[in-house]
């Protein structure tokens, strides 16, 4: 039996979850097709998903197509939940990208297709809703070819478009040969010689689809079932099945974590190699981590025939639910690390403060938010102990509403939010250096630390180097300095994370282990790691102060398509939102604007666009880059550390030894 891990992706409301229901019904997994509107679908199991009619969490369900077992993963379509899609991409063998026959290619469709192509994931396109009024065939095919990829092969034609009697008639047309011949000279030669058979053409289509070089396009309706049998045939015949040696070394990736009824962690993992058994101990860690933890598997479930069933083992190619790994996190590698797929989408660029409602227990809120962040590693929590506040990073306003509803429904916690603000970063404006010497001046720590901060290229992150000999003091002290530098750079002069810099340790020194006669180790006479962890933030912030930092705000690139005669009304609004159009193009009656806009103004642009464009405007946006804050005073963020900017306050909070 072959295995295929299949993702279904789409712009929101393209009919992705409805297609999942239809597929499950057509293969006999469910007896009755659920409805998104009725809130009784198989994969949208969260109450919030049923109520809002959108997919928020990825779901896995399994079914059999002849000799292929398909693990079908339904993913969110709303851009606020793009992190959930990101985690799934690394475990897929193939994908179905759903496009609406009425709305055509939409903003999120393009983002998803670009990512699928970059990762070389074999992808079929299913144009849904051919039974809806306004459904198109030629127009949507042209959009797919122009806006997604030119390498598309229509797998048939349609009749009765826009009616309940709409049908899909299979059979690749002449376009199949045109596209495939561009990829295969032998195929073109066989056509010229008159020796090209249908079997040869089909074999070429299969090979190129599995290489993600061409993308077959099916038309149909998830509501009526038209075109779905042809799509399932394409899934079975054209997409590659999972590889991996079940007898090889254990290697897997965790793409989802949830909590069970008793609060236990359950990890969803794709196995790429080897076999994992109950009671096995397995090492796990982030693929880039230096150290690894391990845990004992206490239970395993695999997906079969529409549900998950307990098994004693899971082997290469399969997806399983694993119990017993208490410290597991999303993205962790099990056993030998598989090739890291990294982040395909930008991290959140917005932040808001969670405000507990009357009677809401702060400790319970802290625990609940920690669990939510645990299930979504791109949502970062920031704790301000002084103000007793928790901030959460977000992709957008819909995600904020979902967090609020989840806290109410799942944890019984009433919260509101403050205004959403952009997540800025700081970069050094120049070079700065500082040093404090052991037992000199007002240094209360038994340590010498000298640091220099230099600007580094954009996108390089943080580098740490030594200009002192590694053997000049115990390695643990160097490690304490480096770890503290990386942690302290989370809050620069204005409270934002400092990035794109190189920190060089220029001075080091310590007091060797000493003791009074006939007594043990004396901390008051000997350096410890705490001395270096305590002194480093003071030296680093002084070096940053001398270098100076510039605050950069997140900017989204945007593309607006709207009737050309509405651009006159749109441009002043863009200016008011501090958006900067960079290119303007008019094609027939369509105007296309591309440019950049501050991240915190995207939501307002989304809200105002329909009214400015008679409801015909379409916005595509995504993180582009960070730009220096150009207007007014640079924004700052309240500090949550011991505030090394204020030496007296810092020492009162940190040190137990006052000296100098």
């Amino acid at each position: 039996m072959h295995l295929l891990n299949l993702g279904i992706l789409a712009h929101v409301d393209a009919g992705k979850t409805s297609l999942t229901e239809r597929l499950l019904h057509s293969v006999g997994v469910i007896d009755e097709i659920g409805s998104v509107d009725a809130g009784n679908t198989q994969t949208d199991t969260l109450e919030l998903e049923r109520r809002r009619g959108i997919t928020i969490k990825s779901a896995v369900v399994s079914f059999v197509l002849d000799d292929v077992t398909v693990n079908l993963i339904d993913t969110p379509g709303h851009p606020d939940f793009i992190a959930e899609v990101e985690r799934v991409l690394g475990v897929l063998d193939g994908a179905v990208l759903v496009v609406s026959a009425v709305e055509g290619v939409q903003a999120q469709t393009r983002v998803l297709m670009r990512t699928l192509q970059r990762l070389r994931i074999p992808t079929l396109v299913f144009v849904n809703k051919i039974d809806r009024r306004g459904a198109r065939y030629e127009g949507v095919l042209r959009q797919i070819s122009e806006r997604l990829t030119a390498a598309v092969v229509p797998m048939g034609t349609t009749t009765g478009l826009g009616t309940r009697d709409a049908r899909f008639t299979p059979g690749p047309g002449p376009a199949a040969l045109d596209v495939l011949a561009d990829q295969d000279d032998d195929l073109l030669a066989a056509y010229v010689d008159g020796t090209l058979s249908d079997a040869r053409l089909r074999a070429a289509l299969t090979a190129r689809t599995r290489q993600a070089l061409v993308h077959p396009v099916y038309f149909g309706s998830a509501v009526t079932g038209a075109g779905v049998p042809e799509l399932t045939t394409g899934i079975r015949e054209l997409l590659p099945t999972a590889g991996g040696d079940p007898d090889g070394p254990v290697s897997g990736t965790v793409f989802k974590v949830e909590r069970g009824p008793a609060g236990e962690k359950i990890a969803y993992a794709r196995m790429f190699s080897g076999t994992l058994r109950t009671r096995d101990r397995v090492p796990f860690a982030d693929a880039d981590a230096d150290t690894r933890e391990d845990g004992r598997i206490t239970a395993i479930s695999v997906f079969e025939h529409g549900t998950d069933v307990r098994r004693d083992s899971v082997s290469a190619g399969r997806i399983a639910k694993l119990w017993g790994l208490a410290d597991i996190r999303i993205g962790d590698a099990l056993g030998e690390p598989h090739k890291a797929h990294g982040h395909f989408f930008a991290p959140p660029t917005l932040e808001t403060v969670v405000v507990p409602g009357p009677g809401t227990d702060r400790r319970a809120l802290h625990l609940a938010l920690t669990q939510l962040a645990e299930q979504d590693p791109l949502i970062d929590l920031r704790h301000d102990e002084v103000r007793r506040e928790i901030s959460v990073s977000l992709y957008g306003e819909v995600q904020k509403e979902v967090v609020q509803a989840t806290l109410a429904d799942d944890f019984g916690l009433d919260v509101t939010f403050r205004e959403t603000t952009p997540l800025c970063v700081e970069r050094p404006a120049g070079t700065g250096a500082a040093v404090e010497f052991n037992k000199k001046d007002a240094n209360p720590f038994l340590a010498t630390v000298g640091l220099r901060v230099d600007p580094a290229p954009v996108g390089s992150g943080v580098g740490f180097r030594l200009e002192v000999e590694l053997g000049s003091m115990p390695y643990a002290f160097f490690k304490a300095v480096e770890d503290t530098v990386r942690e302290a750079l989370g809050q620069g002069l204005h409270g934002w994370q400092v990035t794109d810099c190189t920190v060089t340790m220029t001075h080091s020194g310590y007091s060797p282990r000493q003791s009074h006669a006939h007594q043990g180790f004396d901390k008051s006479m000997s350096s410890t790691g705490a001395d270096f962890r305590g002194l480093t933030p003071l030296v680093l912030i002084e070096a940053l102060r001398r270098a100076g930092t510039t605050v950069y705000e997140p900017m989204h690139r945007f593309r607006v398509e709207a009737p050309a005669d509405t651009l006159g009304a749109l441009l002043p609004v863009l200016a008011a939102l501090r958006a900067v159009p960079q290119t303007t193009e008019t094609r027939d009656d369509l105007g296309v604007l591309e440019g950049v806009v501050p991240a915190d103004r995207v939501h307002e642009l989304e809200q105002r666009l329909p009214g400015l464009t008679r409801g015909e405007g379409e916005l595509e946006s995504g993180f582009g880059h960070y730009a220096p804050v150009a207007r007014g005073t640079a924004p700052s963020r309240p500090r949550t550390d011991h505030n090394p900017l204020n030496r007296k306050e810092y020492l009162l909070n940190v040190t137990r030894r006052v000296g100098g």
Side-chain angles (χ1 to χ4, degrees), residues 316-377:
R318 304 204 73 147
I319 288 176
K321 294 166 68 173
L322 306 175
W323 281 260
L325 306 177
D327 297 319
I328 198 77
R329 293 160 298 183
I330 290 171
D332 279 356
L334 300 172
E336 292 191 3
H338 186 66
K339 61 179 182 180
H341 66 269
H343 290 322
F344 312 129
F345 303 100
T349 55
L350 302 172
E351 184 179 60
T352 184
V353 174
V354 184
V355 180
T360 297
D361 184 79
R362 290 180 179 270
R363 286 175 296 182
L365 175 60
H366 179 276
L367 179 62
L369 286 170
T370 300
Q371 289 193 15
L372 291 184
E374 168 186 279
Q375 296 170 24
D376 192 340

Side-chain angles (χ1 to χ4, degrees), residues 62-357:
S62 181
F63 60 87
V64 175
L65 290 176
D66 295 338
D67 63 339
V68 179
T69 295
V70 179
N71 288 323
L72 183 65
I73 307 176
D74 185 21
T75 60
H78 197 285
D80 278 13
F81 307 104
I82 199 68
E84 193 73 23
V85 179
E86 173 174 340
R87 293 192 284 274
V88 171
L89 293 177
V91 304
L92 297 182
D93 302 305
V96 174
L97 182 65
V98 184
V99 178
S100 168
V102 179
E103 289 85 7
V105 173
Q106 297 170 278
Q108 188 72 354
T109 321
R110 298 177 62 176
V111 173
L112 292 169
M113 189 61 171
R114 282 199 297 265
T115 306
L116 290 166
Q117 289 179 308
R118 186 163 65 248
L119 299 173
R120 302 293 296 272
I121 296 175
T123 303
L124 309 181
V125 178
F126 183 74
V127 181
N128 191 26
K129 302 183 181 181
I130 65 170
D131 58 317
R132 297 282 185 90
R133 180 180 299 176
R136 299 166 295 148
Y137 179 83
E138 294 291 348
V140 173
L141 269 180
R142 186 168 55 253
Q143 273 196 344
I144 293 172
S145 179
E146 292 175 353
R147 302 181 64 184
L148 295 183
T149 173
V152 294
V153 176
M155 297 301 290
T157 57
T158 58
T159 56
L161 275 177
T163 71
R164 295 283 294 187
D165 296 325
R167 294 290 180 266
F168 177 70
T169 304
L177 178 60
D178 293 340
V179 172
L180 292 170
D182 287 341
Q183 312 278 347
D184 190 335
D185 292 338
D186 292 339
L187 198 70
L188 181 59
Y191 173 72
V192 172
D193 294 343
T195 59
L196 180 62
S197 64
D198 289 343
R200 174 77 182 277
L201 189 66
R202 185 76 181 185
L205 176 63
T206 301
R208 297 298 178 262
T209 301
R210 291 180 177 180
Q211 294 168 346
L213 295 175
V214 301
H215 305 283
V217 181
Y218 297 83
F219 282 73
S221 168
V223 172
T224 68
V228 174
E230 291 76 15
L231 175 64
T232 56
T233 299
I235 291 171
R236 185 182 73 249
E237 296 180 354
L238 299 179
L239 293 179
T241 52
D245 179 8
D247 297 320
V250 169
S251 178
T253 297
V254 174
F255 66 93
K256 178 178 178 178
V257 172
E258 65 182 17
R259 292 275 178 172
E264 75 279 16
K265 269 191 185 179
I266 305 171
Y268 286 65
R270 157 76 191 265
M271 297 298 297
F272 292 100
S273 173
T275 298
L276 199 56
R277 297 174 176 83
T278 306
R279 293 183 293 278
D280 279 356
R281 291 199 73 86
V282 59
F284 59 87
D286 183 272
D288 299 323
D290 295 329
T291 59
R292 314 199 77 196
E293 303 178 59
D294 65 11
R296 187 181 299 279
I297 305 295
T298 58
I300 297 173
S301 281
V302 298
F303 293 91
E304 294 179 1
H305 306 293
T307 187
D308 58 288
V309 293
R310 289 295 176 100
R311 290 287 184 264
D312 292 329
S313 64
V314 56
S315 56
R318 304 204 73 147
I319 288 176
K321 294 166 68 173
L322 306 175
W323 281 260
L325 306 177
D327 297 319
I328 198 77
R329 293 160 298 183
I330 290 171
D332 279 356
L334 300 172
E336 292 191 3
H338 186 66
K339 61 179 182 180
H341 66 269
H343 290 322
F344 312 129
F345 303 100
T349 55
L350 302 172
E351 184 179 60
T352 184
V353 174
V354 184
V355 180

Side-chain angles (χ1 to χ4, degrees), residues 364 367-369 371-372 375 403 405-414:
L367 179 62
L369 286 170
Q371 289 193 15
L372 291 184
Q375 296 170 24
V403 170
T406 302
L407 289 171
D409 295 346
D410 295 355
F411 299 95
L413 300 173
D414 174 33

Side-chain angles (χ1 to χ4, degrees), residues 555 558 567-582 593 596-598 601 604-605 608 612 631:
M555 304 293 290
F558 74 86
L567 296 186
L570 184 58
L571 287 171
V573 174
L574 289 173
L577 295 175
R578 294 198 291 125
V580 180
Q582 295 171 329
L593 280 174
V596 293
V597 60
R601 301 301 180 96
E604 186 176 350
L605 179 56
R608 300 188 64 176
L612 295 166
R631 296 188 182 182

Side-chain angles (χ1 to χ4, degrees), residues 294-495:
D294 65 11
R296 187 181 299 279
I297 305 295
T298 58
I300 297 173
S301 281
V302 298
F303 293 91
E304 294 179 1
H305 306 293
T307 187
D308 58 288
V309 293
R310 289 295 176 100
R311 290 287 184 264
D312 292 329
S313 64
V314 56
S315 56
R318 304 204 73 147
I319 288 176
K321 294 166 68 173
L322 306 175
W323 281 260
L325 306 177
D327 297 319
I328 198 77
R329 293 160 298 183
I330 290 171
D332 279 356
L334 300 172
E336 292 191 3
H338 186 66
K339 61 179 182 180
H341 66 269
H343 290 322
F344 312 129
F345 303 100
T349 55
L350 302 172
E351 184 179 60
T352 184
V353 174
V354 184
V355 180
T360 297
D361 184 79
R362 290 180 179 270
R363 286 175 296 182
L365 175 60
H366 179 276
L367 179 62
L369 286 170
T370 300
Q371 289 193 15
L372 291 184
E374 168 186 279
Q375 296 170 24
D376 192 340
L378 293 186
I379 292 181
D380 188 35
L381 296 183
R382 188 169 181 270
H383 305 278
D384 186 337
E385 300 297 340
V386 176
R387 296 167 185 81
R388 301 185 67 199
E389 293 178 347
I390 302 177
S391 300
V392 59
S393 55
L394 301 165
Y395 279 98
E397 296 299 315
V398 171
Q399 191 180 20
K400 186 161 70 172
E401 295 171 26
V402 168
V403 170
Q404 183 180 35
T406 302
L407 289 171
D409 295 346
D410 295 355
F411 299 95
L413 300 173
D414 174 33
V415 302
T416 56
F417 297 93
R418 291 197 195 143
E419 182 183 2
T420 302
T421 57
L423 270 171
C424 299
V425 298
E426 294 181 49
R427 291 183 177 132
T431 295
V435 60
E436 296 212 19
F437 293 97
N438 186 8
K439 300 179 182 178
K440 287 187 179 180
D441 302 321
N443 178 8
F445 301 101
L446 292 179
T448 293
V449 174
L451 299 171
R452 185 179 70 248
V453 177
D454 295 294
V458 172
S460 61
V462 174
F464 183 81
R465 300 187 311 185
L466 296 178
E467 278 186 2
V468 294
E469 290 189 15
L470 190 58
S472 61
M473 66 180 186
Y475 173 75
F477 294 162
F478 286 112
K479 189 71 168 66
V481 172
E482 179 178 358
D483 290 347
T484 305
V485 162
R486 296 187 183 279
E487 180 183 352
L489 287 175
Q491 299 181 74
L493 302 180
H494 299 274

Side-chain angles (χ1 to χ4, degrees), residues 502-518:
T502 300
V503 179
T504 303
M505 190 169 184
T506 58
H507 297 75
S508 65
Y510 74 110
S511 295
R513 183 183 179 95
Q514 299 180 50
S515 62
H516 294 288
H518 311 298

